[in-house]
Amino acid sequence: MQFKRIGVLTSGGDAPGMNAAIRSVVRTAIGRGVEEVYGIYSGYKGLIEEDMELLNIRSVSNIISHGGTMLYSARCPEFKTEEGMQRAVDVCKKRGIDGIIAIGGDGTFRGATDLTRRGIPCIGIPATIDNDISSTDYTIGFDTAMNTVVELVDKLRDTCESHARCNVVEVMGKYAGDIALHTGIATGAISIAVRELPYDEDQAIAKIIKARENKKRNFIVIVAEGKENFAEAYAKRIEEKTGIETRFSRLAHVQRGGNPTVRDRVTASLMGKAAVMELLDGKSNLVICERKGVITSMDINKALKIDRMFKDLMTPEEYAELEAEGSLVDMRRHCEERAAAKLNLYRISQEICK
Ligand code: ADP
């Protein structure tokens, strides 16, 4: 099929590096003979409302270094309804949009697969600071968010050292504690707590007391937001049980912004190019992934299932279905490798953060 016109959108939570991905999509597409590229504003909302603008090589100039997304992002519950979806398909037909590159998280990919099923080929690009899309080792925005956390926690640590204090820092990561695990190691946190790994609070507090006896003055404890209603109360318990003055800080949305790092700019550029190449090659319903350092792709439905499996959300019926179609072993291996890498990081952090 000849692709004359394609669309690109960013949807769901924003992430630094989305602009670099948009730029790469536009420039690759135009360079490969696509006549027009529509930038669709505010994700699927803009598609339904026909809020879009033609982008060209110059209009995506000077955005690679900017955080946020020049196409804006929004949640669009209407898109999940039959009428909303039909409206999106009608707009694509009216504007002659032959395919869409959707940059976002798993919700965005669910929308992309629905659109593909209705005849508009879509390719997804994973962008979320949490790195919680299990089909890919890396999601755009993760590195920038981690660097923001490290910069802020280093500052907290300086003042903890001066005053012999402890600071419990809550970082983003609802389903995945990846930001917490990496930044905990990078900032020399004495303890890291994430939802998906067991946490022995008594042991952690004993470690703080022992380190204090050994003349340690600064104590950073990193907690992922996935451990709900935990961090603030934990700070109080640490103070009570150790006698060390303990503060609580929630870094919140500051982690979502800022100029993307080299890692995010380069990965976004590679993924943007890969997405366009797959689309022009006649493929659809794929999510671009990075696996073991290589940019590759995976069927969106398989990617969504791996995600559910990794997050332990799959029903026995879904497991039986996968077994019947022969894909269970492969998907299980994928999840096991990912879990093992995470556990390894956790163990290393426990060993060297004292
Ligand atoms: P993310 O892509 O970061 O996971 P969301 O879960 O908010 O963010 O999804 C972004 C958008 O994708 C939603 O606002 C909605 O328009 C669309 N979307 C989410 N889930 C579905 C679904 N099951 N079917 C169709 N569209 C969906």
Side-chain angles (χ1 to χ4, degrees):
M1 171 182 173
Q2 181 64 28
F3 283 83
K4 279 176 88 169
R5 216 164 283 110
I6 68 168
V8 57
L9 59 83
T10 50
S11 153
D14 67 342
M18 280 180 156
N19 282 325
I22 295 166
R23 171 180 179 269
S24 174
V25 165
V26 171
R27 293 192 168 175
T28 305
I30 292 175
R32 302 271 164 172
V34 174
E35 288 172 19
E36 290 181 330
V37 182
Y38 274 112
I40 300 161
Y41 288 107
S42 309
Y44 295 117
K45 185 168 180 285
L47 188 57
I48 288 178
E49 294 172 2
E50 217 179 328
D51 183 12
M52 57 185 75
E53 199 166 35
L54 286 175
L55 300 177
N56 59 45
I57 287 179
R58 286 278 70 77
S59 61
V60 292
S61 161
N62 201 26
I63 62 164
I64 193 164
S65 59
H66 296 183
T69 157
M70 67 168 284
L71 292 177
Y72 315 132
S73 188
R75 318 264 178 202
C76 179
E78 199 195 337
F79 184 69
K80 297 188 198 174
T81 64
E82 197 49 49
E83 305 78 63
M85 188 68 61
Q86 192 51 50
R87 170 92 190 115
V89 172
D90 292 345
V91 169
C92 287
K93 297 224 163 102
K94 180 178 163 204
R95 295 276 185 145
I97 295 175
D98 302 317
I100 287 181
I101 310 284
I103 305 166
D106 55 355
T108 302
F109 302 154
R110 275 191 199 97
T113 202
D114 285 353
L115 262 184
T116 303
R117 216 177 304 123
R118 284 167 172 82
I120 311 294
C122 292
I123 306 279
I125 295 180
T128 154
I129 64 161
D130 292 353
N131 204 36
D132 65 348
I133 299 176
S134 313
S135 51
T136 177
D137 294 343
Y138 190 81
T139 59
I140 296 166
F142 179 44
D143 190 58
T144 307
M146 287 193 297
N147 278 286
T148 301
V149 169
V150 166
E151 191 188 331
L152 296 170
V153 174
D154 283 349
K155 289 178 177 160
L156 288 172
R157 198 174 176 185
D158 288 346
T159 168
C160 282
E161 177 73 14
S162 304
H163 293 272
R165 271 189 201 133
C166 175
N167 207 314
V168 176
V169 185
E170 187 187 276
V171 300
M172 279 190 167
K174 229 180 212 157
Y175 298 106
D178 292 37
I179 292 180
L181 283 173
H182 286 78
T183 60
I185 291 175
T187 58
I190 191 145
S191 188
I192 305 169
V194 302
R195 181 191 60 89
E196 65 270 36
L197 290 168
Y199 186 71
D200 187 333
E201 184 173 319
D202 291 339
Q203 202 179 60
I205 289 178
K207 195 171 161 185
I208 292 174
I209 293 171
K210 188 156 171 255
R212 183 76 198 99
E213 287 165 3
N214 279 333
K215 309 269 181 279
K216 185 173 171 67
R217 293 177 60 84
N218 70 77
F219 303 90
I220 296 292
V221 176
I222 304 272
V223 178
E225 68 170 323
K227 261 185 107 62
E228 280 175 29
N229 306 319
F230 178 79
E232 194 164 6
Y234 187 35
K236 292 203 180 92
R237 290 198 294 278
I238 291 175
E239 182 161 302
E240 276 162 25
K241 291 183 183 166
T242 64
I244 300 168
E245 187 184 350
T246 303
R247 300 277 164 92
F248 165 69
S249 313
R250 177 176 288 130
L251 301 187
H253 281 77
V254 71
Q255 296 162 87
R256 286 265 194 93
N259 308 117
T261 58
V262 172
R263 167 70 150 125
D264 280 323
R265 296 181 201 194
V266 173
T267 306
S269 300
L270 297 179
M271 286 186 166
K273 181 192 170 188
V276 172
M277 297 308 283
E278 296 282 21
L279 193 64
L280 299 189
D281 205 25
K283 314 257 184 59
S284 62
N285 205 44
L286 294 177
V287 54
I288 303 300
C289 305
E290 183 189 294
R291 289 280 291 152
K292 299 182 178 155
V294 176
I295 302 293
T296 169
S297 63
M298 188 186 284
D299 177 82
I300 292 186
N301 296 321
K302 183 178 174 188
L304 290 172
K305 279 180 193 159
I306 284 187
D307 213 49
R308 285 174 62 73
M309 185 184 278
F310 190 75
K311 291 171 186 159
D312 226 358
L313 299 170
M314 242 186 201
T315 61
E317 292 74 32
E318 283 175 287
Y319 273 110
E321 220 173 87
L322 291 180
E323 186 147 35
E325 67 186 40
S327 49
L328 185 60
V329 175
D330 174 44
M331 285 164 82
R332 237 196 205 130
R333 193 182 311 117
H334 182 110
C335 291
E336 281 166 5
E337 277 177 21
R338 195 176 170 92
K342 217 176 247 210
L343 189 58
N344 189 38
L345 265 188
Y346 188 54
R347 291 207 174 117
I348 289 172
S349 79
Q350 287 189 310
E351 214 174 305
I352 63 175
C353 299
K354 288 181 189 293

